[in-house]
Coordinates of all heavy atoms in Angstrom, one line a residue:
M110 N 0.8 -1.2 0.0 CA 0.0 0.0 0.0 C 0.9 1.2 0.0 O 1.9 1.3 0.7 CB -0.9 0.0 1.2 CG -1.8 1.2 1.3 SD -3.0 1.1 2.7 CE -4.2 0.1 2.0
D111 N 0.5 2.2 -0.8 CA 1.2 3.5 -0.9 C 0.6 4.5 0.1 O -0.4 5.1 -0.2 CB 1.1 4.0 -2.3 CG 2.0 5.2 -2.5 OD1 2.4 5.8 -1.5 OD2 2.3 5.5 -3.7
F112 N 1.2 4.6 1.2 CA 0.7 5.5 2.2 C 0.8 7.0 1.9 O 0.0 7.8 2.3 CB 1.3 5.2 3.6 CG 0.8 4.0 4.2 CD1 1.6 2.8 4.3 CD2 -0.5 3.9 4.7 CE1 1.1 1.7 4.9 CE2 -1.0 2.8 5.3 CZ -0.2 1.6 5.4
S113 N 1.8 7.3 1.1 CA 2.0 8.7 0.8 C 0.8 9.2 -0.1 O 0.3 10.3 0.0 CB 3.3 9.0 0.1 OG 3.4 8.2 -1.1
N114 N 0.4 8.3 -1.0 CA -0.7 8.6 -1.8 C -2.0 8.8 -1.0 O -2.8 9.7 -1.2 CB -0.9 7.5 -2.9 CG -1.9 8.0 -4.0 OD1 -1.9 9.1 -4.3 ND2 -2.7 7.0 -4.4
L115 N -2.2 7.9 -0.1 CA -3.3 7.9 0.8 C -3.4 9.2 1.6 O -4.4 9.8 1.7 CB -3.3 6.7 1.8 CG -4.5 6.5 2.7 CD1 -5.7 6.1 2.0 CD2 -4.1 5.5 3.8
N116 N -2.2 9.6 2.1 CA -2.2 10.9 2.9 C -2.5 12.1 2.0 O -3.2 13.0 2.5 CB -0.8 11.1 3.5 CG -0.5 10.1 4.6 OD1 -1.5 9.6 5.2 ND2 0.7 9.8 5.0
K117 N -2.1 12.0 0.8 CA -2.4 13.2 -0.1 C -3.9 13.2 -0.3 O -4.5 14.3 -0.3 CB -1.7 12.9 -1.5 CG -0.4 13.6 -1.6 CD 0.2 13.5 -3.0 CE 1.7 13.3 -2.9 NZ 2.2 12.7 -4.1
K118 N -4.5 12.1 -0.6 CA -5.9 12.1 -0.8 C -6.7 12.6 0.5 O -7.6 13.3 0.3 CB -6.4 10.6 -1.1 CG -6.3 10.2 -2.5 CD -6.9 8.9 -2.8 CE -6.7 8.4 -4.2 NZ -7.0 7.0 -4.4
T119 N -6.2 12.1 1.6 CA -6.9 12.6 2.9 C -6.7 14.1 3.0 O -7.7 14.8 3.4 CB -6.2 11.9 4.1 OG1 -6.3 10.5 3.9 CG2 -7.0 12.2 5.3
A120 N -5.5 14.6 2.7 CA -5.3 16.1 2.9 C -6.2 16.8 1.9 O -6.8 17.8 2.2 CB -3.9 16.4 2.6
K121 N -6.3 16.3 0.7 CA -7.2 17.0 -0.3 C -8.6 17.0 0.2 O -9.3 18.0 0.1 CB -7.1 16.3 -1.7 CG -7.8 17.1 -2.7 CD -7.8 16.4 -4.1 CE -8.5 17.2 -5.1 NZ -9.8 17.7 -4.8
S122 N -9.1 15.8 0.6 CA -10.4 15.7 1.1 C -10.6 16.7 2.3 O -11.7 17.3 2.4 CB -10.7 14.3 1.5 OG -11.8 14.2 2.4
F123 N -9.6 16.8 3.2 CA -9.7 17.7 4.3 C -9.9 19.1 3.9 O -10.7 19.9 4.3 CB -8.5 17.5 5.2 CG -8.5 18.4 6.4 CD1 -9.4 18.1 7.5 CD2 -7.6 19.4 6.5 CE1 -9.4 18.9 8.6 CE2 -7.6 20.2 7.7 CZ -8.5 20.0 8.7
N124 N -9.1 19.5 2.9 CA -9.1 20.9 2.4 C -10.5 21.1 1.7 O -11.1 22.2 1.8 CB -8.0 21.1 1.4 CG -6.7 21.4 2.1 OD1 -6.7 21.8 3.3 ND2 -5.6 21.0 1.5
D125 N -11.0 20.1 0.9 CA -12.3 20.2 0.3 C -13.3 20.5 1.3 O -14.2 21.3 1.2 CB -12.6 19.0 -0.5 CG -11.8 18.9 -1.8 OD1 -11.1 19.9 -2.1 OD2 -11.8 17.8 -2.4
Q126 N -13.3 19.7 2.4 CA -14.3 19.8 3.5 C -14.2 21.2 4.1 O -15.3 21.8 4.4 CB -14.0 18.8 4.6 CG -14.5 17.4 4.1 CD -14.5 16.4 5.3 OE1 -14.1 16.7 6.4 NE2 -15.0 15.2 5.0
K127 N -13.0 21.7 4.3 CA -12.9 23.0 4.9 C -13.5 24.1 4.0 O -14.2 25.0 4.5 CB -11.4 23.4 5.2 CG -10.9 22.8 6.5 CD -9.7 23.6 7.0 CE -8.6 23.9 6.1 NZ -7.4 24.4 6.7
A128 N -13.2 24.0 2.7 CA -13.8 25.0 1.7 C -15.3 24.9 1.8 O -16.0 25.9 1.7 CB -13.2 24.7 0.4
L129 N -15.8 23.7 1.8 CA -17.2 23.4 1.8 C -17.9 24.0 3.1 O -18.9 24.7 3.0 CB -17.4 21.9 1.7 CG -18.8 21.3 1.4 CD1 -18.5 20.0 0.6 CD2 -19.5 21.1 2.6
I130 N -17.2 23.8 4.2 CA -17.8 24.3 5.5 C -17.8 25.8 5.4 O -18.8 26.4 5.9 CB -16.9 23.8 6.6 CG1 -17.1 22.3 6.9 CG2 -17.2 24.5 7.9 CD1 -16.0 21.6 7.7
K131 N -16.8 26.4 4.9 CA -16.7 27.9 4.9 C -17.9 28.4 4.0 O -18.5 29.4 4.4 CB -15.4 28.4 4.2 CG -14.3 28.5 5.2 CD -13.1 29.2 4.5 CE -11.9 29.1 5.4 NZ -10.7 29.5 4.6
K132 N -18.2 27.8 2.9 CA -19.3 28.2 2.0 C -20.6 28.1 2.7 O -21.4 29.0 2.7 CB -19.3 27.4 0.7 CG -18.2 27.8 -0.3 CD -18.4 27.0 -1.5 CE -17.1 27.0 -2.4 NZ -17.2 26.0 -3.4
V133 N -20.8 26.9 3.3 CA -22.1 26.7 4.0 C -22.3 27.7 5.1 O -23.4 28.3 5.3 CB -22.3 25.3 4.5 CG1 -23.5 25.1 5.3 CG2 -22.2 24.3 3.3
M134 N -21.2 27.9 5.9 CA -21.4 28.8 7.1 C -21.5 30.3 6.6 O -22.0 31.1 7.4 CB -20.2 28.6 8.0 CG -20.2 27.3 8.7 SD -19.0 27.1 10.0 CE -19.9 28.0 11.3
A135 N -21.1 30.6 5.4 CA -21.3 31.9 4.8 C -22.7 32.1 4.3 O -23.1 33.2 3.8 CB -20.3 32.2 3.7
G136 N -23.5 31.0 4.4 CA -24.9 31.2 4.0 C -25.2 30.8 2.6 O -26.3 31.0 2.1
R137 N -24.2 30.2 1.9 CA -24.4 29.9 0.5 C -25.0 28.5 0.4 O -24.8 27.6 1.3 CB -23.0 29.9 -0.2 CG -22.5 31.3 -0.3 CD -21.2 31.3 -1.0 NE -21.2 30.6 -2.3 CZ -20.1 30.4 -3.1 NH1 -18.9 30.9 -2.7 NH2 -20.2 29.8 -4.2
T138 N -25.7 28.3 -0.6 CA -26.3 27.0 -0.9 C -25.3 26.1 -1.6 O -24.8 26.4 -2.7 CB -27.6 27.1 -1.7 OG1 -28.5 27.9 -1.0 CG2 -28.2 25.7 -1.9
V139 N -24.9 25.0 -1.0 CA -23.8 24.2 -1.5 C -24.4 22.8 -1.7 O -25.0 22.2 -0.8 CB -22.6 24.1 -0.6 CG1 -21.5 23.2 -1.2 CG2 -22.1 25.4 -0.3
P140 N -24.4 22.3 -2.9 CA -25.0 20.9 -3.2 C -24.0 19.8 -2.7 O -22.8 20.0 -2.7 CB -25.1 20.9 -4.7 CG -24.1 21.8 -5.2 CD -23.9 22.9 -4.2
C141 N -24.7 18.8 -2.2 CA -23.9 17.6 -1.8 C -23.2 17.1 -3.0 O -23.8 16.9 -4.1 CB -24.8 16.5 -1.3 SG -24.1 14.9 -1.0
P142 N -21.9 16.8 -2.9 CA -21.1 16.3 -4.1 C -21.6 14.9 -4.6 O -21.4 14.5 -5.7 CB -19.7 16.2 -3.6 CG -19.7 16.5 -2.2 CD -21.0 17.0 -1.7
V143 N -22.3 14.2 -3.7 CA -22.8 12.8 -4.1 C -24.2 12.9 -4.7 O -24.5 12.5 -5.8 CB -22.7 11.9 -2.9 CG1 -23.2 10.5 -3.3 CG2 -21.3 11.9 -2.3
C144 N -25.2 13.4 -3.9 CA -26.6 13.3 -4.3 C -27.1 14.7 -4.8 O -28.2 14.7 -5.3 CB -27.5 12.9 -3.1 SG -27.7 14.2 -1.8
K145 N -26.3 15.7 -4.8 CA -26.6 17.1 -5.3 C -27.7 17.7 -4.5 O -28.2 18.8 -4.9 CB -27.0 17.0 -6.8 CG -26.0 16.2 -7.7 CD -24.6 16.9 -7.6 CE -23.7 16.1 -8.5 NZ -22.3 16.4 -8.2
G146 N -28.1 17.1 -3.4 CA -29.1 17.8 -2.6 C -28.4 18.9 -1.8 O -27.2 18.9 -1.6
P147 N -29.2 19.9 -1.3 CA -28.5 21.0 -0.5 C -28.0 20.5 0.8 O -28.6 19.7 1.5 CB -29.7 22.0 -0.3 CG -30.9 21.2 -0.5 CD -30.6 20.1 -1.4
L148 N -26.8 21.0 1.1 CA -26.2 20.7 2.4 C -26.8 21.7 3.5 O -27.0 22.8 3.2 CB -24.7 20.9 2.4 CG -24.0 20.0 1.4 CD1 -22.5 20.3 1.4 CD2 -24.2 18.5 1.8
V149 N -27.1 21.1 4.6 CA -27.7 21.8 5.7 C -26.7 22.0 6.9 O -26.1 21.0 7.3 CB -29.0 21.1 6.2 CG1 -29.6 21.8 7.4 CG2 -30.0 21.0 5.1
L150 N -26.6 23.2 7.4 CA -25.8 23.5 8.5 C -26.5 23.2 9.8 O -27.6 23.8 10.1 CB -25.3 24.9 8.5 CG -24.5 25.4 9.7 CD1 -23.1 24.7 9.8 CD2 -24.3 26.9 9.6
H151 N -26.0 22.3 10.7 CA -26.5 22.2 12.0 C -25.5 22.9 12.9 O -24.4 22.5 13.1 CB -26.6 20.7 12.4 CG -27.4 19.9 11.5 ND1 -28.7 19.5 11.8 CD2 -27.2 19.4 10.2 CE1 -29.2 18.8 10.8 NE2 -28.4 18.8 9.8
P152 N -26.0 24.1 13.4 CA -25.0 25.0 14.1 C -24.5 24.5 15.4 O -25.1 23.6 16.0 CB -25.8 26.3 14.3 CG -27.3 25.8 14.3 CD -27.3 24.6 13.4
P153 N -23.4 25.1 15.8 CA -22.8 24.7 17.1 C -23.9 25.0 18.2 O -24.6 26.0 18.1 CB -21.7 25.7 17.3 CG -21.4 26.2 16.0 CD -22.6 26.1 15.1
G154 N -24.0 24.1 19.1 CA -25.0 24.2 20.2 C -26.2 23.3 19.9 O -27.0 23.0 20.8
S155 N -26.4 22.9 18.6 CA -27.4 21.9 18.3 C -27.0 20.6 18.8 O -25.8 20.4 19.1 CB -27.8 22.0 16.8 OG -26.7 21.6 16.1
A156 N -27.9 19.6 18.7 CA -27.6 18.3 19.3 C -26.4 17.6 18.6 O -25.6 17.0 19.3 CB -28.8 17.4 19.2
N157 N -26.3 17.8 17.3 CA -25.2 17.1 16.6 C -24.7 18.0 15.5 O -25.0 17.9 14.4 CB -25.8 15.8 16.0 CG -24.7 14.9 15.6 OD1 -23.5 15.1 15.8 ND2 -25.1 13.8 14.8
P158 N -23.8 19.0 15.9 CA -23.4 20.0 15.0 C -22.6 19.4 13.8 O -21.8 18.5 14.0 CB -22.5 21.0 15.8 CG -22.3 20.3 17.1 CD -23.3 19.2 17.3
G159 N -22.9 20.0 12.6 CA -22.2 19.5 11.5 C -22.9 19.9 10.2 O -23.8 20.7 10.3
I160 N -22.4 19.4 9.1 CA -23.0 19.8 7.8 C -23.4 18.5 7.1 O -22.6 17.6 7.0 CB -22.0 20.6 7.0 CG1 -21.8 22.0 7.6 CG2 -22.4 20.7 5.5 CD1 -20.7 22.7 7.0
R161 N -24.7 18.4 6.8 CA -25.2 17.1 6.2 C -26.2 17.4 5.1 O -26.8 18.4 5.1 CB -25.9 16.4 7.3 CG -25.0 15.8 8.4 CD -25.7 15.1 9.5 NE -24.8 15.0 10.6 CZ -24.7 15.9 11.6 NH1 -25.5 16.9 11.6 NH2 -23.8 15.8 12.5
C162 N -26.3 16.4 4.2 CA -27.4 16.4 3.3 C -28.5 15.6 3.8 O -28.3 14.8 4.8 CB -26.9 16.0 1.9 SG -26.6 14.2 1.8
A163 N -29.6 15.6 3.1 CA -30.8 14.9 3.6 C -30.6 13.4 3.6 O -31.1 12.7 4.4 CB -32.0 15.3 2.8
K164 N -29.8 12.9 2.6 CA -29.6 11.5 2.5 C -28.5 10.9 3.3 O -28.4 9.7 3.5 CB -29.3 11.2 1.0 CG -30.5 11.4 0.1 CD -30.2 10.9 -1.3 CE -31.4 11.0 -2.2 NZ -31.2 10.6 -3.6
G165 N -27.7 11.8 3.8 CA -26.6 11.4 4.7 C -25.3 11.0 4.1 O -24.4 10.5 4.7
C166 N -25.2 11.1 2.7 CA -23.9 10.8 2.1 C -22.8 11.8 2.4 O -21.7 11.4 2.5 CB -24.1 10.6 0.6 SG -25.3 11.6 -0.2
T167 N -23.2 13.1 2.7 CA -22.3 14.0 3.3 C -22.6 14.2 4.7 O -23.7 14.5 5.1 CB -22.4 15.4 2.5 OG1 -22.0 15.2 1.2 CG2 -21.4 16.4 3.2
D168 N -21.6 13.9 5.6 CA -21.8 14.0 7.0 C -20.5 14.5 7.6 O -19.7 13.7 8.0 CB -22.3 12.7 7.6 CG -22.7 12.8 9.1 OD1 -22.3 13.8 9.7 OD2 -23.3 11.9 9.6
I169 N -20.4 15.8 7.8 CA -19.1 16.4 8.3 C -19.4 16.9 9.7 O -20.2 17.8 9.9 CB -18.7 17.5 7.4 CG1 -18.5 17.0 5.9 CG2 -17.4 18.1 7.9 CD1 -18.2 18.2 4.9
A170 N -18.8 16.3 10.7 CA -18.9 16.8 12.0 C -18.1 18.1 12.2 O -17.0 18.2 11.7 CB -18.4 15.7 13.0
L171 N -18.7 19.0 12.9 CA -18.0 20.3 13.2 C -17.4 20.2 14.6 O -18.0 19.8 15.5 CB -18.9 21.4 13.1 CG -19.5 21.8 11.7 CD1 -20.4 23.0 11.8 CD2 -18.3 22.1 10.8
E172 N -16.1 20.6 14.6 CA -15.5 20.7 15.9 C -15.0 22.1 16.1 O -14.3 22.7 15.3 CB -14.3 19.8 15.9 CG -14.7 18.3 15.9 CD -13.4 17.4 15.8 OE1 -12.4 17.9 16.2 OE2 -13.6 16.3 15.3
F173 N -15.5 22.7 17.2 CA -15.1 24.1 17.6 C -14.2 24.1 18.8 O -14.6 23.5 19.8 CB -16.3 24.9 17.8 CG -17.1 25.1 16.6 CD1 -18.1 24.2 16.2 CD2 -16.9 26.2 15.7 CE1 -18.8 24.4 15.0 CE2 -17.6 26.4 14.6 CZ -18.5 25.5 14.2
D174 N -13.0 24.6 18.7 CA -12.1 24.6 19.8 C -12.3 25.9 20.7 O -12.6 26.9 20.1 CB -10.6 24.6 19.3 CG -10.4 23.4 18.5 OD1 -10.9 22.3 18.8 OD2 -9.7 23.5 17.4
Ligands
ZN381 ZN1 -25.9 13.7 -0.3

C-alpha cells in the first residue's frame, strides 16, 4: 500500500471539506457532491453540529475549539 498517496488524498479531502464548510457557514447553498441535494448546517449548540445532506452521504462533524 502506498501510504504517501493515501495521505495526499486525505489532505485533499480535508481541504475540500474546509472549503465546503466555509461556504455553507457563509450562508451559501452548496450541493452535496454525491446526491446534489442541498447541504444543511446544524449549528454549534445543536444536538449534533455538522454539515449534512438529507440522504446522509455528506456528514461532516464540526469541531469548535
Ligand atoms: Zn448527499
Side-chain angles (χ1 to χ4, degrees):
M110 182 177 277
D111 185 345
F112 283 107
S113 62
N114 191 37
L115 183 71
N116 288 340
K117 266 185 216 158
K118 276 186 184 170
T119 305
K121 185 185 185 308
S122 162
F123 180 70
N124 284 332
D125 285 350
Q126 285 191 352
K127 277 207 308 193
L129 195 149
I130 290 164
K131 273 187 190 171
K132 284 184 198 169
V133 175
M134 291 192 81
R137 292 179 54 185
T138 302
V139 182
C141 169
V143 181
C144 72
K145 310 300 180 195
L148 296 177
V149 177
L150 173 67
H151 301 259
S155 63
N157 195 9
I160 291 170
R161 291 178 197 91
C162 71
K164 291 187 178 179
C166 30
T167 295
D168 187 344
I169 303 169
L171 290 181
E172 292 175 24
F173 292 88
D174 299 321

